[in-house]
Structures are given as C-alpha cells and as structure tokens.
Amino acid sequence: YAKGDYIIKEGDASNETMYFILEGSFAVMKNRGESIEEVNVLKSGDFFGELSLISSQPRTASIQVKSDTGKLLLFSKEKFIQKTKESPGLMFSILKATIARLIRAEASIDKIIKALPELDPAMATRLNESRVDNINVFNYVHNLHNRIMIRGDKIYSEGDKSDGAMYFIYEGTVAVIKQYHKKNMKITTYEKGDFFGETSIVSDAPRSQTMITVSEKAKVVRIDKDILMKIVHISPGFLFSLLRTVIWKLIIAEKALFKLNMKVDDIYEKKN
C-alpha cells in the first residue's frame, strides 16, 4: 500500500478480515462529528480489524497508510480460526492486546459515567448468542473446580489484589458494583455464559470492581493462567470463545465512550 491509502473506513460493512502489519505505520482515524482525528498510530507487529472479524459489526475506525509504503498480512475469519487453533499463542497475544484496549476504555468511562447505557436489541441478541456458544464450548471442559455461591456472596471486591484469575458463570447472575463518592452503585450484571475478571490474566492491577452474586445461587468457575493454558490444549476453541466475549465487551464500552465524548463536546460548545 502507498502513503495515504485507506485500508478500511469507519462505518464500512465488515468484510470479516483482520490485518497484521508487517511493514510501515498506519494512522487510526475516528470521526468526531465535525472533524476526523488521528487517535493512534499502529506499526510493525500491531494488528487491526479484529472487532469486525469476530462480531461482524461495521468498522469502528478508518485506517490510513502513514508511512511511504505499508505491507499487511490479511486473515479471513475462516483462515484466522484455523491458524489460531494450530497456534494458540497467536490467539492469546490477540486476546491480551484486546483486553488491554478494554482496560483503557473502561478506565475512560469510569471518569465520566456511572453506568453503561442500555443495549440496542440487535446487540443484546448477539451478546446472548455469544453466551450460549460459551456454554457449549465450556461443556467440553471437565474437572474444573467451581464454587456454589448464594445471594450476597462476593467473588472479589474492588481494590483486592489481583490473584491472576478470571471467572466464568456456569449458572446464575452476578452484579458489577463500583464505589463512587463512598456509595456502591450497580454498573451492570453478568449472566450464565459470561466471563469476568479477565483483565487479571494480563495485568497485576488491583480489582477495579466488586462482583457479587444477586441470583438465589450461582455456579462460578475460577480459571487462572495455568488452568487457562490446559483448557486451550483440550479445547482450542475456548480461546476464540473468550476473545469473542472480550470483543463484545469492548464494542459496548467504546460505543458508550463515543456517545459520552459527543455529549461532552456538545456541552463544551454550548458553554463557549
């Protein structure tokens, strides 16, 4: 590709392709209403397009060649799934990068919002389909220790030291609680088929939320890094299932962040 070429444009329909950068630099451009802004620069070793590859959602940003030339490796969805089953390490690298992006998005949201907005019906349907698929994948993984929780039981609390583990809800409902001005507020709930706490797989940061059982009972499976890699060898599709869930969380968070930024910009313009 030559300097100035667009690889994908924000709002384009997904072609179920993701891209690995072999050479060059690429600008990430976002529509901010009245202007197009460069929000990031990707270089050799980076990748993009994974959100649309997994979710089939429209492209969330434009990617333009910034260097004199650029060289990309393209993966179709079918080829991506095949390659990552052969090489789980590739999937895990993408998972870690996606979780890191989710951490940044959620940290930004925490500064300006106290709850995520309601999902539109189409996205809620896709999220529920993802949960069912997660359960189906998980049914192939046996002998994992699970805890039976009752209403009011905490899995962990905001500020707890990370234990390097994530969790999967096999039954029941768990609420996400955050403290604002010394008051506990429910942000959202996770249901059967959801993962949570996955940021501790890639980060040693303290827990950023309190997770508490709100159903009469719940069955929660704890998964640390060692167990995660054992699961991957038994069921390579598990990492893809986890990545898909993280990507849906990221899509929801970034959509919320975009709407909030637009509101903040609108308020600023009215004041000035």
Side-chain angles (χ1 to χ4, degrees), residues 105-204:
E106 290 184 338
S108 297
I109 288 174
D110 282 348
K111 295 176 183 177
I112 51 179
I113 190 171
K114 305 301 183 286
L116 292 178
E118 293 295 322
L119 295 181
D120 63 71
M123 188 169 289
T125 299
R126 295 296 298 276
L127 194 58
N128 285 329
E129 290 172 352
S130 177
R131 288 166 174 155
V132 171
D133 289 342
N134 290 345
I135 288 289
N136 290 337
V137 170
F138 218 80
N139 283 334
Y140 288 100
V141 183
H142 305 290
N143 301 319
L144 286 179
H145 177 71
N146 61 75
R147 295 166 58 188
I148 303 297
M149 318 291 292
I150 61 173
R151 184 179 286 117
D153 283 349
K154 289 182 182 179
I155 292 88
Y156 54 75
S157 296
E158 185 175 357
D160 281 355
K161 183 179 179 181
S162 170
D163 59 357
M166 56 179 281
Y167 296 83
F168 180 75
I169 304 174
Y170 204 75
E171 292 178 8
T173 305
V174 174
V176 181
I177 308 294
K178 282 194 70 70
Q179 190 174 84
Y180 292 100
H181 305 293
K182 299 183 179 180
K183 292 183 179 180
N184 290 326
M185 299 184 67
K186 185 173 80 170
I187 305 302
T188 188
T189 55
Y190 291 146
E191 304 172 11
K192 177 180 178 179
D194 280 330
F195 294 96
F196 63 89
E198 65 276 6
T199 55
S200 286
I201 295 293
V202 300
S203 171
D204 293 328

Side-chain angles (χ1 to χ4, degrees), residues 46 53 63 113 127 132 140 162 175 246-247 257:
D46 289 329
L53 176 78
I63 305 294
I113 190 171
L127 194 58
V132 171
Y140 288 100
S162 170
V246 173
I247 281 177
L257 193 57

Side-chain angles (χ1 to χ4, degrees), residues 230-248:
K230 288 178 182 177
I231 293 174
V232 170
H233 288 296
I234 296 170
S235 177
F238 182 85
L239 269 183
F240 182 80
S241 186
L242 175 57
L243 176 62
R244 179 182 53 213
T245 298
V246 173
I247 281 177
W248 274 112

Side-chain angles (χ1 to χ4, degrees), residues 5-96:
D5 283 348
Y6 278 94
I7 313 305
I8 56 177
K9 290 190 176 182
E10 186 174 1
D12 283 353
S14 170
N15 59 355
E16 295 195 332
T17 300
M18 73 174 294
Y19 306 80
F20 287 85
I21 300 175
L22 299 178
E23 296 175 7
S25 60
F26 295 74
V28 182
M29 315 292 290
K30 293 282 287 185
N31 187 331
R32 297 303 191 195
E34 295 183 356
S35 63
I36 305 295
E37 295 182 12
E38 180 181 302
V39 297
N40 197 9
V41 176
L42 303 177
K43 298 182 179 180
S44 177
D46 289 329
F47 56 87
F48 59 90
E50 71 281 6
L51 270 64
S52 291
L53 176 78
I54 303 298
S55 69
S56 299
Q57 292 284 295
R59 297 295 183 180
T60 59
S62 298
I63 305 294
Q64 186 180 34
V65 183
K66 192 176 178 71
S67 50
D68 290 336
T69 60
K71 188 175 181 180
L72 298 171
L73 180 66
L74 280 62
F75 271 97
S76 66
K77 186 174 184 177
E78 182 180 355
K79 184 63 70 175
F80 174 76
I81 293 172
Q82 175 189 331
K83 189 66 178 176
T84 50
K85 283 183 176 179
E86 296 170 359
S87 177
L90 172 62
M91 178 75 80
F92 195 66
S93 295
I94 294 171
L95 176 64
K96 288 194 292 184

